[in-house]
Structures are given as C-alpha cells and as structure tokens.
Amino acid sequence: MDKLVIEGGIPLQGEVAVSGSKNAALPALAACLLTSDRVILNRIPQVRDIGTMLGLVRHIGAEVSVKGDRVTIRAANLEHPEAPYELVKTMRASSLVLGPLVGRCGRARVSLPGGCAIGARPINLHVSGLERLGAEVRQEHGYIEANASNGLQGANVQFDRISVTGTEDLLMAAVLARGETVIGNAAREPEVADLAALLTAMGAKIEGAGTSTIRVQGVAKLGGAEHTIIPDRIETGTFLIGGALTAGDLTVRGCVPEHLRALIAKLQQAGVEVTEPSPDTLRVRVPGRLKNVDITTEEHPGFATDLQAQFMALMTQAAGISFVTETIFENRFMHAQELARMGANIRLEGRQAIVAGPTPLSGAQVIASDLRASASLVLAGLAARGETVIDRVYHIDRGYEKIESKLAGVGARIRRIE
Ligand code: EPU
C-alpha cells in the first residue's frame, strides 16, 4: 500500500493550478446516461473516484473514451441498468446513476451503500424523491430496485433535509419526467448548478439550480452536448489552508473565488491575508500570528464539511481555543486523533472539537481514514518539524489529482513510497 513521506517545515510558495471538481464531475458522468447521443466533458480530474464512475457507466453499457482531462461518453444501449455492490461499496456516489437510469430506462437496480467512515449516509432521500415521481421502489437482497415502466411523472418534492447527491439524483430523474417537478429544500452547492448547466446544454428545461427551489419542465428526450466542469473548490480550499498553515505565500490559479466565500471569511478572521489578484486566482499570505476562529460546517453557502478537517489542522497553529462543530456528518473527526499524534491539543465532545493552540507539530506516522482527513494530515505534515509518513493514501487519491507533484511544485518535500 502506498504511503506519503513528507519532510515538513517548508513554507508553500509560488503558484498551483486547480483541477476540475470531483463532486461536479461524478454527477456529470452519470448524466451522460440520459441520452443516446455523444456527450463530451472537459476538465474531468484524474482521480480514483472518477475511474470508479467511468467503470460503472461502462458496466451499464456506455462507450467511454478518455483523452487527458477530456472524456467522451456515448450511452447508446444501456444493457445493465444497475450499480453492483462491488462499485457502490467503494464509492457511495455510485448511487447517482439511480435517477438517470429510472428516467431513461424506466428501471434501475442499485446496491445499498452500507457503512461509511464519516457517518451513516443513507439514500432514503433519493428513494423517496423517486417515489414521489411515481417510481415503485423495492428493497431486496441489499439492492434498491426502482421501476417506472410507464415513465416518471413530475411532482412536488420537498426534501426533509438537504442532500447534495439526493438533489442531483432527483434532478436527473426529473428532466425526462412528464410535466413539472419542483424540488424544495434543494442543495445549493455549485456542483448542483454545474450539473444543471450540463443538463440544460443537453436540452433539459431547468430553473433555479443553485437556489433552494429548482423547477424542471420535463422533456421527451435529451441530446448530446459539450461541457466543462467547474474547478474543484475543495482542492482550492485545501491549498489555501496549506499556504496559511505553512506561513507561505501561495497563489491558487484557475479557481472560482465566489465558491469559497465562507472559507475566505474564516481565513481572514484567523489573520490570513487573502487577495484575488485576478478573477480566477486567490493568494494567501500570513502577515502575523494566526488567531483562533470557530467554524460550524453547514450546507453551501456555509462552511463546507469537506474543508473542516483541513481547517482544524490550521487551528492547531492559531493562538487560543477554537471550536470546530460538524453538523453534516456524525463521525467526521477521525483526523483529530492523528493530529494529536503530531502534537495537536484537541478534545472531542460529540459533534464539537475543541482545539487549543498553538502547539508545535512534529512529524509522525499517521493513518489516513477518509479523503478529507488525509488532506488534513498532509497539510499538518507540511507544517510539522521532521518527517511525517501517511499510511493508506489511497484515500487521498480518491479525490486529489497529482497531489504530490502539485505540492512539490510549490516547494513541498513530499514523495510517495510503496
Ligand atoms: N442524508 C440522509 N439521507 C439521504 C441522503 C443524505 O439522511 O438520503 C444525510 C447524510 O447522512 C448526511 C447529510 O444528509 O448526514 C448530507 O449528506 P449529502 O447527501 O448532502 O451528502 P452526499 O451527497 O452523499 C456530497 C459530497 C460529499 C460532501 C457532502 C456534503 C459528492 C459525490 N459527495 O455527499 O463529499 O461531504 O455532499 O457536502 O458530491 C468528499 O468529497 O470528500 C465528500 C464526502
């Protein structure tokens, strides 16, 4: 199993470019199943979760060709409208094929996800949304089986709680349903708006994506399109926090600052200077000591849960007590114990982590438990004295493209060993 070895204590300096958004690319690949025409997607990041999703759309019957960050998909025949357990267990976002398959084929069979490192993560909201559109859903042998042999019928769907992939799944089902669908309490994440932009280019009629009410007028058929995925805001945020944590001077190029307002505000409160040298560039510098800041994760446009672990690493170097409250997932603090092994002073109380800083970080052997937890350990390793060895880096490879070469390009001493 691969490990990352980091020689810490070097400020990140220079310029790093952001890849396409993993969490926008995943539903975009699922959306290609909605048409028999060719769809071209640009700026698809080369990360493991994307490889898993490409394997899934191939399994379902689509032809896939990949050239660099450009993926072409033609889903003429969908021979196996199903997501098998082997794929869903490695990537829960596989359930994103449920909506498009029921919409296009009138049936789908998708494995239930089962346990997850960061929390329960059920898909009941996806299922009840589809039922509102007229699908008959059964659960058997660990699979969800959905049928809508006469097609889906538009309806009002009010989500009990906000779900990003739940909103995306339902949106993809609704575009081919008869009549109007209104999705209330919809996720407002930029990835939802990006999916709607792709679907609109394919011929769908959607209003309000990016707000909490989305209206869809169903159409009989969708066609081919070409679309460029938005930049990855979580990768951007991870680099910005890394620049701040190592007291560097880091410029992140090719990003959308608008998608990162909550993080930028918290960085500024913490004493980090954040500037926008150009409309798609953010730069961080640390003029003085870092100050303690409290964060509470929320749905967009609040502070992203996917940046909580990295921000906690930053707060270990801030003067004073910071409260980090996680409201989206019930078990997303596994990095805290590992950060503590590197010298952090963190106490966990239910959904809150209390970080007392600053405490010097020293390199240690640590284990990555999930994607964003591993990112926080990498950042801590970059700031720590001495050598950090991070085990189970396959977690980081799920969502960060060329992480070690990107970081090495801005001065980090980081290498991968077998
Ligand atoms: N939830 C339910 N029922 C459902 C769906 C969700 O109770 O049917 C709960 C979840 O258990 C969770 C909350 O609702 O407590 C929010 O979950 P959501 O459905 O929004 O999460 P997701 O769609 O499964 C996406 C991202 C995650 C990100 C979350 C929250 C993708 C592929 N994944 O997951 O990304 O943390 O939204 O913003 O878009 C990551 O990239 O590291 C990652 C985990």
Side-chain angles (χ1 to χ4, degrees), residues 22-24 26-27 49 91-93 95-96 116 118-128 159 161-168 187 189 191 233-234 298-300 304-306 327-330 332 351 370-372 399:
K22 165 184 80 86
N23 287 349
L26 289 170
D49 276 6
M91 187 186 69
R92 313 168 59 77
S95 56
L96 279 168
C116 171
I118 61 177
R121 303 187 76 186
I123 58 166
N124 58 305
L125 297 169
H126 304 228
V127 169
S128 58
F159 276 122
R161 79 174 279 181
I162 298 174
S163 166
V164 179
T165 52
T167 302
E168 292 163 348
E189 268 65 4
E191 292 77 17
R233 63 193 166 98
I234 306 303
E298 282 167 7
E299 292 89 359
H300 194 76
T305 173
D306 290 344
T327 72
I328 307 294
F329 292 111
E330 60 271 26
R332 212 178 195 181
R351 293 198 160 203
D370 69 78
L371 172 55
R372 309 305 172 185

Side-chain angles (χ1 to χ4, degrees), residues 397-413:
D397 296 332
R398 291 185 59 177
Y400 288 88
E401 186 173 63
K402 302 189 187 106
I403 181 82
E404 49 298 16
S405 62
K406 285 195 186 191
L407 288 172
V410 288
R413 287 209 197 121

Side-chain angles (χ1 to χ4, degrees), residues 248-269:
D249 179 351
L250 190 67
T251 299
V252 185
R253 194 166 29 86
C255 60
V256 181
E258 214 41 55
H259 294 168
L260 286 137
R261 289 293 164 216
L263 173 69
I264 292 170
K266 287 295 173 184
L267 285 172
Q268 287 169 334
Q269 279 175 38

Side-chain angles (χ1 to χ4, degrees), residues 209-227:
T211 75
S212 52
T213 305
I214 304 178
R215 283 176 194 279
V216 183
Q217 304 294 337
V219 296
K221 208 166 167 260
L222 294 181
E226 180 163 355
H227 177 74

Side-chain angles (χ1 to χ4, degrees), residues 87-167:
L87 290 172
V88 180
K89 79 171 185 219
T90 60
M91 187 186 69
R92 313 168 59 77
S94 308
S95 56
L96 279 168
V97 299
L98 182 60
L101 287 179
V102 183
R104 167 117 179 258
C105 312
R107 68 193 170 99
R109 194 166 169 269
V110 170
S111 170
L112 282 165
C116 171
I118 61 177
R121 303 187 76 186
I123 58 166
N124 58 305
L125 297 169
H126 304 228
V127 169
S128 58
L130 282 176
E131 284 176 333
R132 289 281 301 159
L133 301 196
E136 273 176 35
V137 184
R138 290 190 303 160
Q139 186 188 321
E140 224 170 44
H141 309 303
Y143 278 77
I144 297 278
E145 292 194 21
N147 274 289
S149 35
N150 297 323
L152 294 169
Q153 175 69 48
N156 281 355
V157 180
Q158 179 70 22
F159 276 122
D160 286 342
R161 79 174 279 181
I162 298 174
S163 166
V164 179
T165 52
T167 302

